[in-house]
Amino acid sequence: MSDAPIERDFYQRDPEEQQAFLDNTWCNDCQELDLGMTEPREYELNGRIYIEGRCVKCGATVRTEIADENEDV
């Protein structure tokens, strides 16, 4: 597996899906849920998809791993 992220276009997602990802966050610095995210960046790394941005409250990096709905857990 590669250690280099593969950039993806977050804005190709449905607008409602984009908003859900931007709203439903967890900030490790604030220790709070759903503060929101700005500057979203979507990428694939080692077969997993992530959306990363900045916490609306404190500006720290927040990252969400996107689960593949077609993948059996």
Coordinates of all heavy atoms in Angstrom, one line a residue:
M1 N 0.8 -1.2 0.0 CA 0.0 0.0 0.0 C 0.9 1.2 0.0 O 1.9 1.3 0.6 CB -0.9 0.0 1.2 CG -2.0 -1.0 1.2 SD -3.1 -0.7 2.6 CE -4.1 -2.1 2.3
S2 N 0.3 2.3 -0.6 CA 1.1 3.5 -0.7 C 0.8 4.4 0.5 O -0.3 4.4 1.1 CB 0.6 4.3 -2.0 OG 1.2 5.5 -2.0
D3 N 1.8 5.2 0.9 CA 1.7 6.1 2.0 C 1.3 7.5 1.5 O 1.1 8.4 2.3 CB 3.0 6.2 2.8 CG 3.2 5.0 3.6 OD1 2.3 4.2 3.9 OD2 4.4 4.7 4.0
A4 N 1.2 7.7 0.2 CA 0.8 9.0 -0.4 C -0.7 9.0 -0.6 O -1.3 8.2 -1.2 CB 1.6 9.1 -1.8
P5 N -1.3 10.1 -0.1 CA -2.7 10.2 -0.3 C -3.1 10.5 -1.7 O -2.4 11.2 -2.4 CB -3.1 11.4 0.6 CG -1.8 12.1 0.9 CD -0.7 11.2 0.7
I6 N -4.2 10.0 -2.2 CA -4.8 10.3 -3.5 C -5.9 11.3 -3.3 O -6.9 11.0 -2.7 CB -5.3 9.0 -4.1 CG1 -4.2 7.9 -4.2 CG2 -5.9 9.2 -5.5 CD1 -4.7 6.5 -4.5
E7 N -5.7 12.4 -3.9 CA -6.7 13.5 -3.7 C -8.0 13.1 -4.5 O -8.0 12.5 -5.5 CB -6.2 14.8 -4.3 CG -5.0 15.4 -3.6 CD -5.3 15.7 -2.1 OE1 -6.4 16.2 -1.8 OE2 -4.4 15.5 -1.3
R8 N -9.1 13.5 -3.8 CA -10.5 13.3 -4.4 C -11.2 14.6 -4.3 O -10.8 15.5 -3.6 CB -11.2 12.2 -3.6 CG -10.6 10.8 -3.6 CD -11.2 9.9 -2.7 NE -12.6 9.7 -2.8 CZ -13.2 8.7 -3.3 NH1 -12.6 7.6 -3.7 NH2 -14.6 8.7 -3.4
D9 N -12.3 14.8 -5.1 CA -13.0 16.0 -5.1 C -14.2 15.9 -4.2 O -15.3 15.4 -4.6 CB -13.4 16.4 -6.5 CG -14.0 17.8 -6.7 OD1 -14.2 18.4 -5.6 OD2 -14.3 18.2 -7.8
F10 N -14.2 16.5 -3.0 CA -15.3 16.5 -2.1 C -16.5 17.1 -2.7 O -17.6 16.7 -2.4 CB -14.8 17.4 -0.8 CG -15.9 17.6 0.2 CD1 -16.3 16.5 1.0 CD2 -16.5 18.8 0.3 CE1 -17.3 16.7 2.0 CE2 -17.5 19.0 1.3 CZ -17.9 17.9 2.1
Y11 N -16.3 18.1 -3.6 CA -17.5 18.9 -4.1 C -18.2 18.1 -5.2 O -19.2 18.6 -5.7 CB -17.0 20.2 -4.6 CG -16.6 21.1 -3.4 CD1 -15.2 21.2 -3.1 CD2 -17.5 21.6 -2.5 CE1 -14.8 21.9 -2.0 CE2 -17.0 22.3 -1.4 CZ -15.7 22.5 -1.2 OH -15.3 23.2 -0.1
Q12 N -17.7 16.9 -5.5 CA -18.5 16.0 -6.5 C -19.6 15.3 -5.7 O -20.5 14.6 -6.3 CB -17.5 15.0 -7.1 CG -16.6 15.6 -8.1 CD -17.3 16.2 -9.3 OE1 -18.2 15.6 -9.9 NE2 -17.0 17.4 -9.7
R13 N -19.6 15.3 -4.4 CA -20.6 14.6 -3.6 C -21.9 15.5 -3.7 O -21.9 16.7 -3.9 CB -20.2 14.5 -2.1 CG -19.0 13.6 -2.0 CD -18.7 13.4 -0.5 NE -17.6 12.4 -0.3 CZ -17.9 11.1 -0.3 NH1 -19.1 10.7 -0.3 NH2 -16.9 10.3 -0.1
D14 N -23.0 14.8 -3.4 CA -24.3 15.5 -3.3 C -24.3 16.6 -2.3 O -23.7 16.4 -1.2 CB -25.4 14.4 -2.9 CG -26.7 15.0 -2.8 OD1 -27.5 15.0 -3.7 OD2 -27.1 15.4 -1.6
P15 N -24.8 17.7 -2.5 CA -24.8 18.9 -1.6 C -25.3 18.5 -0.1 O -24.7 18.9 0.8 CB -25.7 19.9 -2.2 CG -25.6 19.7 -3.6 CD -25.5 18.2 -3.8
E16 N -26.3 17.7 0.0 CA -26.8 17.3 1.3 C -25.8 16.4 2.0 O -25.6 16.5 3.2 CB -28.1 16.5 1.2 CG -29.3 17.4 0.8 CD -30.6 16.7 0.7 OE1 -30.7 15.5 1.1 OE2 -31.6 17.3 0.2
E17 N -25.1 15.5 1.2 CA -24.1 14.7 1.8 C -22.9 15.5 2.3 O -22.3 15.3 3.3 CB -23.7 13.6 0.8 CG -22.7 12.6 1.3 CD -22.3 11.5 0.2 OE1 -22.3 11.8 -1.0 OE2 -22.0 10.4 0.7
Q18 N -22.5 16.5 1.4 CA -21.4 17.4 1.8 C -21.7 18.1 3.2 O -20.9 18.1 4.1 CB -21.2 18.5 0.8 CG -20.7 18.1 -0.5 CD -20.6 19.2 -1.5 OE1 -20.4 20.4 -1.1 NE2 -20.7 18.9 -2.8
Q19 N -22.9 18.6 3.3 CA -23.3 19.3 4.5 C -23.3 18.4 5.7 O -22.9 18.8 6.8 CB -24.7 20.0 4.3 CG -24.9 21.0 5.4 CD -23.9 22.2 5.3 OE1 -23.6 22.7 4.3 NE2 -23.3 22.5 6.5
A20 N -23.8 17.2 5.5 CA -23.8 16.2 6.6 C -22.3 16.0 7.1 O -22.1 15.9 8.3 CB -24.4 14.9 6.2
F21 N -21.4 15.8 6.2 CA -20.0 15.6 6.6 C -19.4 16.8 7.2 O -18.6 16.7 8.2 CB -19.1 15.2 5.4 CG -19.3 13.8 4.9 CD1 -19.6 13.5 3.6 CD2 -19.2 12.7 5.8 CE1 -19.8 12.2 3.2 CE2 -19.4 11.4 5.4 CZ -19.7 11.2 4.1
L22 N -19.8 18.0 6.8 CA -19.3 19.3 7.4 C -19.9 19.5 8.8 O -19.2 20.1 9.6 CB -19.6 20.4 6.5 CG -18.9 20.4 5.1 CD1 -19.4 21.6 4.3 CD2 -17.4 20.5 5.3
D23 N -21.1 19.1 9.0 CA -21.8 19.3 10.3 C -21.4 18.2 11.3 O -21.3 18.6 12.5 CB -23.3 19.3 10.1 CG -23.7 20.5 9.3 OD1 -23.0 21.5 9.2 OD2 -24.9 20.5 8.8
N24 N -21.3 17.0 10.9 CA -21.2 15.9 11.9 C -19.7 15.6 12.1 O -19.1 14.8 11.4 CB -21.9 14.6 11.3 CG -23.4 14.9 11.2 OD1 -24.0 15.3 12.1 ND2 -23.9 14.7 10.0
T25 N -19.1 16.3 13.0 CA -17.7 16.2 13.3 C -17.4 15.9 14.8 O -18.2 16.0 15.6 CB -17.0 17.5 12.9 OG1 -17.5 18.5 13.7 CG2 -17.2 17.8 11.4
W26 N -16.1 15.5 15.0 CA -15.6 15.4 16.4 C -14.3 16.1 16.4 O -13.4 15.8 15.6 CB -15.4 14.0 16.8 CG -14.7 13.9 18.1 CD1 -13.4 13.6 18.3 CD2 -15.3 14.1 19.4 NE1 -13.1 13.6 19.7 CE2 -14.2 13.9 20.4 CE3 -16.5 14.5 19.9 CZ2 -14.4 14.1 21.7 CZ3 -16.7 14.6 21.2 CH2 -15.7 14.4 22.1
C27 N -14.1 17.0 17.3 CA -12.8 17.8 17.5 C -12.1 17.2 18.7 O -12.6 17.3 19.8 CB -13.1 19.3 17.6 SG -11.5 20.2 17.9
N28 N -10.9 16.6 18.5 CA -10.1 16.1 19.6 C -9.6 17.2 20.5 O -9.4 17.0 21.7 CB -8.9 15.3 19.0 CG -9.3 14.0 18.5 OD1 -10.3 13.4 19.0 ND2 -8.6 13.5 17.5
D29 N -9.4 18.4 20.0 CA -8.9 19.5 20.8 C -10.0 20.1 21.7 O -9.8 20.3 22.9 CB -8.3 20.6 19.9 CG -7.0 20.3 19.4 OD1 -6.7 19.1 19.2 OD2 -6.2 21.2 19.0
C30 N -11.2 20.3 21.1 CA -12.3 20.8 21.9 C -13.0 19.8 22.7 O -13.7 20.1 23.7 CB -13.4 21.5 20.9 SG -12.8 22.9 20.1
Q31 N -12.8 18.5 22.3 CA -13.5 17.4 22.9 C -15.0 17.6 22.8 O -15.8 17.4 23.8 CB -13.1 17.2 24.4 CG -11.6 16.7 24.5 CD -11.4 15.3 24.0 OE1 -12.0 14.4 24.6 NE2 -10.6 15.1 23.0
E32 N -15.5 18.0 21.6 CA -16.9 18.3 21.4 C -17.3 17.7 20.1 O -16.6 17.7 19.1 CB -17.2 19.8 21.4 CG -17.1 20.4 22.8 CD -17.5 21.9 22.8 OE1 -18.6 22.1 22.4 OE2 -16.7 22.7 23.2
L33 N -18.6 17.4 20.0 CA -19.2 16.8 18.9 C -19.9 17.8 18.0 O -20.5 18.8 18.6 CB -20.2 15.7 19.4 CG -21.0 14.9 18.3 CD1 -20.0 14.0 17.6 CD2 -22.0 14.0 19.1
D34 N -19.9 17.7 16.7 CA -20.7 18.5 15.8 C -20.5 20.0 15.9 O -21.4 20.7 15.7 CB -22.2 18.1 15.9 CG -22.5 16.6 15.7 OD1 -21.7 16.0 15.0 OD2 -23.5 16.1 16.1
L35 N -19.2 20.4 16.0 CA -18.9 21.8 16.0 C -18.9 22.3 14.5 O -19.1 23.5 14.3 CB -17.6 22.1 16.6 CG -17.5 21.8 18.1 CD1 -16.1 21.9 18.6 CD2 -18.5 22.7 18.9
G36 N -18.6 21.4 13.6 CA -18.5 21.8 12.2 C -17.1 21.8 11.7 O -16.1 21.9 12.5
M37 N -17.0 21.8 10.4 CA -15.7 21.7 9.7 C -15.7 22.8 8.5 O -16.7 22.9 7.9 CB -15.5 20.3 9.1 CG -14.3 20.1 8.3 SD -14.2 18.6 7.3 CE -14.5 17.3 8.6
T38 N -14.5 23.4 8.4 CA -14.3 24.3 7.2 C -13.2 23.7 6.4 O -12.4 22.8 6.9 CB -14.0 25.7 7.6 OG1 -12.8 25.7 8.4 CG2 -15.1 26.3 8.4
E39 N -13.0 24.2 5.2 CA -11.9 23.9 4.3 C -11.8 22.3 4.1 O -10.7 21.8 4.3 CB -10.5 24.4 4.9 CG -10.5 25.9 5.1 CD -9.2 26.3 5.8 OE1 -8.2 25.7 5.6 OE2 -9.3 27.3 6.5
P40 N -12.9 21.7 3.7 CA -12.8 20.2 3.5 C -11.9 19.8 2.4 O -11.8 20.4 1.4 CB -14.3 19.9 3.2 CG -14.8 21.1 2.6 CD -14.2 22.2 3.3
R41 N -11.2 18.7 2.7 CA -10.3 18.1 1.7 C -10.6 16.6 1.8 O -10.5 16.0 2.9 CB -8.8 18.4 2.1 CG -7.8 17.6 1.4 CD -6.4 17.8 1.9 NE -5.5 16.9 1.3 CZ -4.7 16.0 2.0 NH1 -4.8 16.1 3.3 NH2 -3.9 15.2 1.4
E42 N -10.9 16.0 0.6 CA -11.2 14.6 0.6 C -10.0 13.8 -0.1 O -9.5 14.3 -1.1 CB -12.4 14.3 -0.2 CG -12.9 12.9 -0.2 CD -14.2 12.6 -0.8 OE1 -15.0 13.6 -0.9 OE2 -14.5 11.5 -1.2
Y43 N -9.6 12.7 0.5 CA -8.5 11.9 -0.1 C -8.7 10.5 0.3 O -9.4 10.1 1.2 CB -7.2 12.5 0.4 CG -6.9 12.5 1.9 CD1 -6.3 11.4 2.5 CD2 -7.3 13.5 2.7 CE1 -6.1 11.4 3.9 CE2 -7.1 13.5 4.0 CZ -6.5 12.4 4.6 OH -6.3 12.4 6.0
E44 N -7.9 9.6 -0.4 CA -7.9 8.2 -0.2 C -6.5 7.9 0.3 O -5.5 8.4 -0.3 CB -8.2 7.4 -1.4 CG -8.3 5.9 -1.2 CD -8.7 5.2 -2.5 OE1 -9.4 5.8 -3.3 OE2 -8.4 4.0 -2.5
L45 N -6.4 7.1 1.3 CA -5.1 6.7 1.9 C -5.2 5.2 2.3 O -6.0 4.9 3.1 CB -4.7 7.6 3.0 CG -3.3 7.3 3.7 CD1 -2.2 7.6 2.7 CD2 -3.1 8.2 4.9
N46 N -4.3 4.4 1.8 CA -4.3 3.0 2.1 C -5.7 2.3 2.0 O -6.1 1.6 2.8 CB -3.7 2.8 3.5 CG -2.2 3.2 3.6 OD1 -1.5 3.1 2.6 ND2 -1.9 3.8 4.7
G47 N -6.4 2.7 0.9 CA -7.7 2.1 0.7 C -8.8 2.6 1.5 O -10.0 2.1 1.4
R48 N -8.6 3.6 2.3 CA -9.7 4.3 3.1 C -9.9 5.7 2.6 O -8.9 6.4 2.2 CB -9.3 4.2 4.5 CG -9.2 2.8 5.1 CD -8.9 2.8 6.5 NE -8.7 1.5 7.1 CZ -9.6 0.7 7.6 NH1 -10.8 1.1 7.7 NH2 -9.3 -0.5 8.0
I49 N -11.1 6.2 2.7 CA -11.4 7.5 2.3 C -11.6 8.4 3.5 O -12.3 8.0 4.4 CB -12.7 7.5 1.4 CG1 -12.4 6.7 0.1 CG2 -13.1 9.0 1.0 CD1 -13.6 6.4 -0.7
Y50 N -11.0 9.6 3.5 CA -11.1 10.5 4.6 C -11.6 11.9 4.1 O -11.3 12.3 2.9 CB -9.7 10.7 5.2 CG -9.2 9.5 5.8 CD1 -8.3 8.6 5.1 CD2 -9.5 9.1 7.1 CE1 -7.8 7.5 5.6 CE2 -8.9 7.9 7.7 CZ -8.1 7.1 6.9 OH -7.6 6.0 7.5
I51 N -12.2 12.6 4.9 CA -12.5 14.1 4.7 C -11.9 14.8 5.9 O -12.1 14.4 7.1 CB -14.0 14.4 4.7 CG1 -14.6 13.6 3.4 CG2 -14.2 15.9 4.6 CD1 -16.1 13.8 3.3
E52 N -11.0 15.7 5.6 CA -10.3 16.5 6.6 C -10.5 17.9 6.5 O -10.6 18.4 5.4 CB -8.8 16.1 6.5 CG -7.9 16.7 7.5 CD -6.5 16.2 7.2 OE1 -6.2 15.0 7.6 OE2 -5.7 17.0 6.7
G53 N -10.6 18.6 7.6 CA -10.8 20.1 7.5 C -10.4 20.7 8.8 O -9.6 20.1 9.6
R54 N -10.9 21.9 9.1 CA -10.6 22.6 10.3 C -11.8 22.8 11.2 O -12.9 23.1 10.7 CB -10.1 24.0 10.0 CG -8.8 24.0 9.1 CD -7.6 24.2 10.0 NE -6.4 24.0 9.3 CZ -5.4 23.3 9.7 NH1 -5.4 22.8 10.9 NH2 -4.3 23.2 9.0
C55 N -11.7 22.6 12.5 CA -12.8 22.8 13.4 C -13.2 24.2 13.4 O -12.4 25.2 13.4 CB -12.3 22.5 14.8 SG -13.5 22.9 16.1
V56 N -14.5 24.4 13.3 CA -15.1 25.8 13.2 C -14.8 26.6 14.5 O -14.6 27.8 14.5 CB -16.6 25.7 13.0 CG1 -17.3 27.0 13.2 CG2 -17.0 25.2 11.6
K57 N -14.7 25.9 15.6 CA -14.5 26.6 16.9 C -13.1 26.9 17.2 O -12.8 28.1 17.5 CB -15.1 25.7 18.1 CG -15.0 26.3 19.4 CD -15.6 25.5 20.5 CE -15.6 26.1 21.9 NZ -16.2 25.2 22.9
C58 N -12.2 26.0 17.0 CA -10.8 26.2 17.4 C -9.8 26.2 16.3 O -8.6 26.6 16.4 CB -10.3 25.2 18.5 SG -10.0 23.6 17.9
G59 N -10.2 25.7 15.1 CA -9.3 25.7 13.9 C -8.4 24.4 13.9 O -7.6 24.3 12.9
A60 N -8.5 23.5 14.8 CA -7.7 22.3 14.8 C -8.1 21.4 13.6 O -9.2 21.5 13.2 CB -7.8 21.6 16.1
T61 N -7.2 20.5 13.2 CA -7.6 19.6 12.2 C -8.6 18.6 12.7 O -8.4 18.0 13.8 CB -6.3 18.8 11.7 OG1 -5.4 19.8 11.2 CG2 -6.7 17.8 10.6
V62 N -9.7 18.4 11.9 CA -10.6 17.3 12.2 C -10.7 16.4 11.0 O -10.5 16.8 9.9 CB -12.1 17.9 12.5 CG1 -12.1 18.6 13.8 CG2 -12.6 18.8 11.4
R63 N -10.8 15.1 11.2 CA -10.8 14.1 10.2 C -11.9 13.1 10.4 O -12.1 12.6 11.5 CB -9.4 13.4 10.2 CG -9.2 12.4 9.1 CD -7.8 11.7 9.2 NE -6.8 12.7 9.1 CZ -6.0 13.0 10.1 NH1 -6.0 12.5 11.3 NH2 -5.0 13.9 9.9
T64 N -12.6 12.8 9.3 CA -13.6 11.8 9.3 C -13.3 10.7 8.3 O -13.0 11.0 7.2 CB -15.0 12.4 8.9 OG1 -15.3 13.5 9.8 CG2 -16.1 11.4 8.9
E65 N -13.3 9.4 8.8 CA -13.2 8.3 7.8 C -14.5 8.0 7.3 O -15.5 7.8 8.0 CB -12.6 7.1 8.5 CG -12.3 6.0 7.6 CD -11.7 4.8 8.3 OE1 -11.2 4.9 9.4 OE2 -11.8 3.7 7.6
I66 N -14.6 7.8 6.0 CA -15.9 7.5 5.3 C -16.0 6.0 5.2 O -15.1 5.3 4.6 CB -15.9 8.1 3.9 CG1 -15.6 9.6 3.9 CG2 -17.3 7.9 3.2 CD1 -16.4 10.4 4.8
A67 N -17.0 5.4 5.8 CA -17.3 4.0 5.7 C -17.9 3.7 4.4 O -18.8 4.4 3.9 CB -18.2 3.6 6.8
D68 N -17.4 2.6 3.8 CA -18.0 2.2 2.5 C -19.3 1.3 2.8 O -19.2 0.3 3.4 CB -17.0 1.3 1.8 CG -17.5 0.9 0.4 OD1 -18.7 1.0 0.1 OD2 -16.6 0.3 -0.4
E69 N -20.4 1.9 2.4 CA -21.7 1.2 2.7 C -21.8 -0.1 2.0 O -22.6 -1.0 2.5 CB -22.9 2.1 2.3 CG -22.9 3.4 3.1 CD -24.0 4.3 2.6 OE1 -24.7 4.0 1.6 OE2 -24.2 5.4 3.2
N70 N -21.0 -0.4 1.0 CA -21.1 -1.7 0.3 C -20.1 -2.7 0.9 O -20.1 -3.9 0.5 CB -20.7 -1.5 -1.2 CG -21.7 -0.6 -1.9 OD1 -22.9 -0.6 -1.6 ND2 -21.2 0.3 -2.8
E71 N -19.3 -2.3 1.9 CA -18.4 -3.2 2.5 C -18.9 -3.9 3.7 O -19.5 -3.2 4.6 CB -17.1 -2.4 2.9 CG -16.0 -3.2 3.4 CD -14.8 -2.3 3.7 OE1 -14.1 -1.9 2.7 OE2 -14.5 -2.0 4.8
D72 N -18.8 -5.2 3.8 CA -19.3 -5.9 5.0 C -18.3 -5.7 6.1 O -17.1 -5.8 5.9 CB -19.4 -7.4 4.7 CG -20.6 -7.7 3.7 OD1 -21.5 -6.9 3.7 OD2 -20.5 -8.7 3.0
V73 N -18.8 -5.5 7.3 CA -17.9 -5.2 8.4 C -17.6 -6.5 9.2 O -18.4 -7.4 9.3 CB -18.5 -4.2 9.4 CG1 -17.6 -4.0 10.6 CG2 -18.7 -2.9 8.7

